[in-house]
Amino acid sequence: MRGESMIEYEFWNLTIDRTKSRSAVCRMLTDAAEYQGWELDRLRKDGTGQRTVTLRRKIIRMRSTL
C-alpha cells in the first residue's frame, strides 16, 4: 500500500442498564460524540432490554516529515 494510509480506530464498549430512559441514553451518546469525538459503531438491545453499545473514534497518528 504505497501512499495510502489505513484508518485506525479505538473502541469503547458500554453496557447500559435497561432502567435508563431512551432520552438519557441519547443525551449521553450525543455528549460523547460532541465533546470527545466518539461515533456510534454498534448498538444492541437484548431480550431483557439491556443495551450494549460500541463507540469508536479515529486514532490520529503524527508522521515525521523529516
Side-chain angles (χ1 to χ4, degrees):
M1 279 197 278
R2 208 169 114 216
E4 294 179 30
S5 62
M6 192 150 162
I7 298 174
E8 292 182 58
Y9 292 96
E10 64 178 310
F11 292 90
W12 181 20
N13 295 309
L14 301 162
T15 302
I16 302 170
D17 192 75
R18 66 186 200 95
T19 60
K20 295 280 187 192
S21 70
R22 184 181 212 170
S23 63
V25 172
C26 182
R27 188 172 36 252
M28 181 186 71
L29 295 176
T30 301
D31 287 346
E34 188 171 341
Y35 300 114
Q36 299 170 1
W38 293 101
E39 61 185 41
L40 184 64
D41 184 57
R42 176 174 291 150
L43 185 136
R44 291 190 176 174
K45 192 172 181 181
D46 67 13
T48 66
Q50 182 171 306
R51 299 171 185 96
T52 303
V53 179
T54 302
L55 302 175
R56 71 179 185 180
R57 66 179 169 189
K58 289 181 184 177
I59 297 174
I60 300 171
R61 302 219 187 263
M62 302 301 290
R63 292 186 181 193
S64 176
T65 57
L66 299 176

